Amino acid sequence: MLETIHFYHTNDIHSHFEYWLRSQYFIRNERLAYAEKGEPSFLFDVGDHLDRSNIYTEATLGLGNVKLLNEAQYDVVTIGNNEGITLDFDELYHLYDDARFEVVVANLKAANGENPKWLKPYTILRTKYGTKIGVIGATAFYELFYKELQWEITEPRKAIISIAKELRGEVDILLCLSHLGITEDEMLAQECPELDVIFGAHTHHFLEEGKMVNGVLLTGCGKFGAYTGHLVIQYDHERRKIVHKEEMVIDNALLPEIEGELEFLEQLSHTGKELMSEPLFQSAKSYNKEWFHHSQISRLFAKAVLEHTGADCAMFNAGIFLDGLKKGNVSKYDIHRILPHPINLCVVELTGRQLKEVYLQAKNEEWSQLELRGLGFRGLVFGKILTYEFSVNKNRELIVKGEVSDLNKTYQLATLDMFTFGYFFPNFKYAKKKYYLPYFLRDVLVEYCKRHFS
């Protein structure tokens, strides 16, 4: 007997629901049609379904995303870094309590105490014809972040390979939901030919027909719900082997529009705004924002950052402020509109010599016009890099907190976690640092204003 099995998959939706209704309507009808033909089907998500820059997701702390996944009848998901490190421990611990699907993450466990009931390294699905399908999941290795959040994360490829070798003899088909990125997926395929397919995510790569590496088929469907993947596997029961596997990608923008799409999006936004409407504090004045200069809100935020961290100086880009702070009652929704980014503070320890180098690098005028995508940034333009409590004077001396610095002394610089990933300031990647989790930038500003505006 030759069995045809269909796997629909999504990844890196990041709470972009513009095509959600039409794509799920399409998938549901396809699955029903295949069921009538006797062909089984499954639906997977490969992580970063939620993104706290979205009002609905922020207001429900991701529980609204789980509700949508339940309604769409997903079978198995793994978590991405947006599920894993943008929620505090308790929020992630209980995120999937009401999930009607399986959650597989092979390289994560609670650092202290019991794991949440939903967390498992793999699951085994079965078709009505008895075919056993092993599904392993793993997420990106953000070790320092998970440690701060009281989770223990291990190297994902090792975890996947260990389970794959264990499962290979027990299942007919072996799949991996990998929120690791295309480079990691390619290395995994080379090291683990036991896998049949790696469903990819994290780096937002797009593989229209998949990519074969060492006999393992890799997939990737971009980002923001623009595409849905459809994998077809043919399994020969007599020969007990896969005889064909084929990946295709559906462009959701080309699917027929579904009645009520606009109302659906408006309702999500309305729900989010209502849940976040309660005032947090009252401001006696308004604070303007500027993307290419210092501004009233950037100075206010710098004070909040320095007070929160106790650092010697601070640095951040002006583009993080999407709006100014209004006079009067300020709600959680208002603050979210100003600072929607899932970004945390980080204090980096640098010598005076290194700090001076950072200051000079920050003067790169090309960066201010950069239209940054990713690294947690959810703004429109990067903006000018602003520095507070450190500068270089006309004599090319480093001034820290108003005094000429000792270039050999160690200073603490409070900055954004996205600057520590090596793209902008390579020295940060290897410097001693402390991340301030789970507080987002908006949380830091709120707490400062509550203390000083009351």
Side-chain angles (χ1 to χ4, degrees):
M1 173 189 169
L2 191 63
E3 181 182 9
T4 301
I5 310 170
H6 302 267
F7 300 89
Y8 291 91
H9 56 97
T10 55
N11 64 272
D12 296 289
I13 288 178
H14 285 274
S15 296
H16 280 255
F17 301 124
E18 292 83 358
Y19 299 129
W20 180 257
L21 284 189
R22 71 177 69 176
S23 65
Q24 294 307 320
Y25 180 81
F26 171 80
I27 292 168
R28 183 165 56 251
N29 286 343
E30 289 277 294
R31 295 183 72 183
L32 287 171
Y34 287 125
E36 290 180 3
K37 294 167 60 177
E39 297 179 359
S41 65
F42 299 94
L43 179 55
F44 300 153
D45 186 79
V46 200
D48 277 3
H49 186 274
L50 69 80
D51 192 310
R52 289 184 61 181
S53 64
N54 176 278
I55 293 295
Y56 179 67
T57 296
E58 173 72 358
T60 63
L61 292 173
L63 296 177
N65 294 71
V66 174
K67 180 174 180 286
L68 293 174
L69 290 166
N70 279 338
E71 292 170 352
Q73 299 182 330
Y74 274 73
D75 295 292
V76 189
V77 310
T78 194
I79 70 167
N81 45 289
N82 274 271
E83 287 85 8
I85 63 174
T86 71
L87 298 170
D88 71 24
F89 179 83
D90 287 334
E91 290 161 358
L92 176 57
Y93 195 94
H94 294 291
L95 178 62
Y96 298 107
D97 284 354
D98 296 325
R100 298 197 296 268
F101 48 83
E102 307 242 43
V103 185
V104 290
V105 196
N107 62 325
L108 186 70
K109 65 179 182 179
N112 305 294
E114 293 183 1
N115 288 331
K117 64 180 182 179
W118 50 261
L119 181 61
K120 56 181 66 174
Y122 67 88
T123 189
I124 297 178
L125 307 173
R126 289 172 175 81
T127 72
K128 66 178 183 179
Y129 304 107
T131 305
K132 296 170 72 176
I133 304 165
V135 185
I136 309 167
T139 196
F141 187 57
Y142 286 91
E143 186 176 19
L144 291 177
F145 286 80
Y146 279 107
K147 185 177 180 181
E148 286 286 334
L149 290 166
Q150 307 304 310
W151 295 97
E152 183 180 327
I153 191 166
T154 57
E155 204 287 315
R157 290 204 317 275
K158 289 182 180 177
I160 295 166
I161 292 168
S162 174
I163 294 170
K165 292 184 183 300
E166 175 188 327
L167 280 184
R168 185 68 267 188
E170 298 181 25
V171 298
D172 304 301
I173 297 170
L174 189 54
L175 312 174
C176 178
L177 306 185
S178 163
H179 197 89
L180 307 180
I182 182 62
T183 302
E184 286 285 320
D185 289 352
E186 290 172 345
M187 289 191 287
L188 178 60
Q190 292 290 354
E191 296 172 14
C192 191
E194 289 85 359
L195 294 170
D196 294 308
V197 179
I198 298 172
F199 294 95
H202 187 49
T203 45
H204 303 170
H205 50 284
F206 180 75
L207 303 174
E208 191 168 8
E209 297 178 348
K211 179 179 181 180
M212 197 70 74
V213 177
N214 195 29
V216 183
L217 182 62
L218 276 54
T219 80
C221 292
K223 63 179 179 178
F224 298 169
Y227 302 97
T228 299
H230 179 193
L231 172 77
V232 181
I233 288 181
Q234 288 186 322
Y235 182 75
D236 190 322
H237 282 257
E238 291 181 6
R239 297 162 64 188
R240 294 185 59 81
K241 64 179 292 188
I242 293 173
V243 294
H244 181 70
K245 49 189 175 185
E246 180 182 2
E247 165 77 354
M248 60 198 83
V249 172
I250 300 142
D251 187 339
N252 292 329
L254 301 180
L255 295 175
E257 185 177 344
I258 301 300
E259 184 178 350
E261 284 186 339
L262 182 60
E263 290 80 3
F264 167 73
L265 294 173
E266 288 176 345
Q267 183 57 50
L268 294 183
S269 179
H270 177 72
T271 299
K273 289 177 183 178
E274 277 203 332
L275 291 172
M276 297 166 64
S277 62
E278 186 178 347
L280 296 172
F281 60 86
Q282 191 173 67
S283 176
K285 55 173 280 190
S286 61
Y287 292 77
N288 77 310
K289 70 110 170 85
E290 297 278 354
W291 284 343
F292 304 106
H293 308 280
H294 293 269
S295 64
Q296 293 168 324
I297 196 168
S298 73
R299 294 185 183 95
L300 177 69
F301 183 65
K303 291 177 182 177
V305 168
L306 292 170
E307 183 174 286
H308 186 79
T309 62
D312 298 303
C313 47
M315 178 181 74
F316 48 84
N317 58 302
I320 60 172
F321 305 107
L322 270 63
D323 202 350
L325 182 65
K326 68 176 186 178
K327 180 180 178 180
N329 287 329
V330 178
S331 69
K332 188 174 181 180
Y333 171 70
D334 296 322
I335 291 293
H336 187 276
R337 193 178 66 248
I338 296 167
L339 290 165
H341 329 277
I343 292 176
N344 308 100
L345 290 178
C346 180
V347 169
V348 185
E349 291 193 4
L350 301 167
T351 64
R353 185 169 284 102
Q354 291 171 323
L355 188 59
K356 180 179 178 180
E357 183 182 342
V358 165
Y359 181 86
L360 296 174
Q361 284 179 297
K363 297 304 171 186
N364 187 335
E365 294 183 1
E366 293 181 2
W367 286 353
S368 64
Q369 300 291 340
L370 184 66
E371 293 183 9
L372 181 64
R373 295 290 181 269
L375 301 178
F377 184 69
R378 302 293 184 260
L380 302 175
V381 63
F382 188 78
K384 178 183 175 67
I385 292 189
L386 309 175
T387 59
Y388 291 89
E389 296 294 344
F390 78 112
S391 61
V392 173
N393 66 15
K394 293 179 180 179
N395 297 324
R396 299 190 63 81
E397 296 170 313
L398 176 68
I399 307 299
V400 179
K401 299 170 78 170
E403 297 182 0
V404 176
S405 71
D406 179 347
L407 294 183
N408 295 314
K409 182 182 174 181
T410 298
Y411 295 92
Q412 292 189 326
L413 172 66
T415 189
L416 312 182
D417 63 13
M418 70 175 183
F419 287 150
T420 69
F421 301 141
Y423 180 80
F424 294 98
F425 302 96
N427 285 346
F428 287 3
K429 195 170 184 179
Y430 306 103
K432 183 179 179 180
K433 47 192 172 284
K434 173 178 172 55
Y435 292 99
Y436 284 75
L437 280 73
Y439 313 104
F440 287 155
L441 306 184
R442 53 183 174 268
D443 300 321
V444 174
L445 182 60
V446 165
E447 290 308 309
Y448 181 85
C449 292
K450 281 181 174 179
R451 284 193 298 272
H452 294 274
F453 287 6
S454 59

